[in-house]
Amino acid sequence: MKVYKQYKGLVTKKFNEFYLVALYKHETSELNKKFLCKIKKSVNFRNQFVYVGDEVIVYQIDSQSKRATIESLVKRNNLLERPSVANISNIYVICSVEEPKLNLSQVNKFLISAEHLGVEVSLVLTKCDLITEQKRRLLIDKFKKWGYQAITLNFNNPENLKNLLIDLKEKKCSIFMGPSGVGKTTLLNMIIPGLDNTTAPVSSKIKRGKNTTRNVELFSLSSKSYIVDTPGFNMRSLEIDIRELPNLYPEIYKQVVNDGINCKFRNCLHINDQGCKLNKNFERYTFYKEMIESSKSHYCLIQGD
Ligand SMILES: Nc1nc2c(ncn2[C@@H]2O[C@H](COP(=O)(O)OP(=O)(O)OP(=O)(O)O)[C@@H](O)[C@H]2O)c(=O)[nH]1
Ligand SMILES: [Mg+2]
Ligand SMILES: [Zn+2]
């Protein structure tokens, strides 16, 4: 039976010209069944402009074949560019402390790229069973100075995982992003009972992940809360207006906002600027300086390793 009524839904997965859309249960906004959709032919937006996390209006709903057509796109709040995901409320940057080894320059780039979206950013360190308690504490101290209360996870000790789960259930749409092999999908499998997504050991030769997850996919944690798993990747370049960079480092913006430091020029880049009042004695200042200095015109192009 075909129903011609329109319904709102959430794009949970995208492949070629197809979109998996979970329809909201009428009135209650609860997630209902998933439908395989294509975009209405006459619609004036090209396929690539609909992303996982987007809300869409669908019609031509065929409940037997579980197919429907996307009629239009609901206005989105934000769009993360890499990986492309819409309407995110929280970013969890996930990095492992070993296998693959923690790479501070990568962590920095992931955090800056995440902060750029303007949502709440958290840092998760996985595989803490592979380091000593002393090293774990040192890492927590280090990232506290970077402005983040790192969540440390350990396969064998689910205590911190419980707290993370409570945290995630309070957020609307969280995304797990980070390099390949750090354990993003493993974490998701532990968080969502019954989910058994593919994971794979890191390559024993090059100690890197094997890019096991291939698609961006959104999973429902409760009727009001979702998580997006993403394929791992290494950050190579970021294209950010350098005037924005000081706002993306907590070590800098906290000095400006909380401590009220008053550089001579309002648009001070805190490098060799005259009358700069920034206390530059923090670990990431070198990364910050490199980002500013490698800028071409007013864009910042950071080449990775
Ligand atoms: N020792 C240890 N190994 C872990 C932990 N979490 C994940 N792993 C292992 O790390 C490997 C990679 O995990 P995945 O979940 O596939 O990693 P991923 O981040 O999803 O990787 P991509 O999908 O390639 O981006 C697997 O063999 C996991 O068993 C942990 O806390 N401790
Ligand atoms: Mg994965
Ligand atoms: Zn300054």
Side-chain angles (χ1 to χ4, degrees):
M1 187 187 71
K2 282 202 170 175
V3 179
Y4 287 94
K5 235 176 138 177
Q6 292 180 332
Y7 284 99
K8 206 190 216 184
L10 182 65
V11 177
T12 64
K13 196 171 177 177
K14 176 181 172 176
F15 30 100
N16 305 325
E17 74 272 38
F18 289 102
Y19 299 84
L20 206 55
V21 177
L23 294 198
Y24 290 127
K25 225 184 233 170
H26 203 43
E27 305 295 340
T28 65
S29 275
E30 267 184 85
L31 273 191
N32 207 352
K33 298 263 155 46
K34 287 184 182 172
F35 286 76
L36 190 64
C37 300
K38 271 188 161 184
I39 292 177
K40 183 179 169 185
K41 282 213 180 69
S42 59
V43 165
N44 207 5
F45 52 85
R46 287 187 305 155
N47 284 3
Q48 60 263 42
F49 291 141
V50 176
Y51 298 103
V52 169
D54 265 327
E55 288 188 324
V56 289
I57 305 295
V58 302
Y59 74 125
Q60 289 184 334
I61 295 156
D62 186 333
S63 32
Q64 232 154 35
S65 67
K66 289 275 177 293
R67 291 198 172 224
T69 307
I70 295 175
E71 151 121 290
S72 59
L73 178 65
V74 178
K75 194 172 178 299
R76 63 171 73 106
N77 294 329
N78 60 35
L79 177 67
L80 183 69
E81 280 173 22
R82 190 172 177 214
S84 298
V85 185
N87 297 322
I88 291 166
S89 64
N90 291 76
I91 299 182
Y92 287 80
V93 170
I94 318 250
C95 291
S96 53
V97 291
E98 286 290 339
E99 295 184 15
K101 255 195 186 343
L102 195 64
N103 174 332
L104 294 180
S105 156
Q106 278 292 317
V107 182
N108 176 54
K109 284 179 196 167
F110 272 107
L111 289 173
I112 294 304
S113 154
E115 292 286 353
H116 188 225
L117 193 67
V119 301
E120 196 189 332
V121 177
S122 308
L123 176 63
V124 177
L125 301 176
T126 58
K127 312 200 188 185
C128 289
D129 49 298
L130 301 178
I131 55 170
T132 61
E133 176 59 17
Q134 190 194 13
K135 178 96 190 282
R136 188 184 73 94
R137 291 233 177 94
L138 285 175
L139 287 173
I140 289 179
D141 284 349
K142 173 195 282 296
F143 291 118
K144 203 176 217 162
K145 289 185 195 132
W146 287 28
Y148 300 90
Q149 185 67 54
I151 302 161
T152 57
L153 298 178
N154 174 343
F155 244 3
N156 314 316
N157 177 3
E159 198 50 43
N160 286 351
L161 185 72
K162 266 192 230 152
N163 296 333
L164 175 62
L165 183 59
I166 294 169
D167 219 32
L168 287 167
K169 281 190 172 160
E170 283 169 7
K171 322 288 188 198
K172 191 159 188 280
C173 186
S174 307
I175 181 172
F176 286 171
M177 85 178 195
S180 177
V182 299
K184 300 179 293 298
T185 306
T186 306
L187 186 55
L188 201 77
N189 285 343
M190 292 200 279
I191 284 170
I192 301 179
L195 191 76
D196 191 17
N197 283 345
T198 313
T199 64
V202 296
S203 127
S204 49
K205 247 201 217 148
I206 50 170
K207 297 276 179 219
R208 280 216 207 128
K210 291 179 182 158
N211 293 97
T212 313
T213 305
R214 295 283 174 180
N215 287 301
V216 170
E217 188 166 358
L218 186 149
F219 300 94
S220 158
L221 192 58
S222 72
S223 59
K224 302 226 161 41
S225 150
Y226 315 104
I227 308 183
V228 185
D229 190 17
T230 65
F233 62 96
N234 279 324
M235 277 282 174
R236 298 224 176 271
S237 62
L238 292 175
E239 221 170 70
I240 294 173
D241 185 328
I242 58 168
R243 286 164 304 189
E244 271 188 59
L245 273 180
N247 304 326
L248 307 181
Y249 281 83
E251 305 95 314
I252 298 178
Y253 69 70
K254 280 187 183 156
Q255 287 193 47
V256 177
V257 178
N258 301 357
D259 311 342
I261 62 153
N262 222 340
C263 299
K264 185 169 174 190
F265 300 105
R266 207 165 47 88
N267 56 356
C268 184
L269 283 176
H270 316 298
I271 301 290
N272 294 319
D273 314 50
Q274 205 187 32
C276 177
K277 301 271 174 59
L278 187 84
N279 176 0
K280 303 174 174 70
N281 186 19
F282 57 92
E283 189 182 7
R284 277 205 298 175
Y285 186 70
T286 330
F287 287 144
Y288 170 76
K289 209 169 149 194
E290 276 168 20
M291 280 194 183
I292 299 272
E293 283 172 353
S294 67
S295 66
K296 303 253 171 18
S297 71
H298 63 273
Y299 281 112
C300 170
L301 196 64
I302 302 137
Q303 290 305 330
D305 16 71

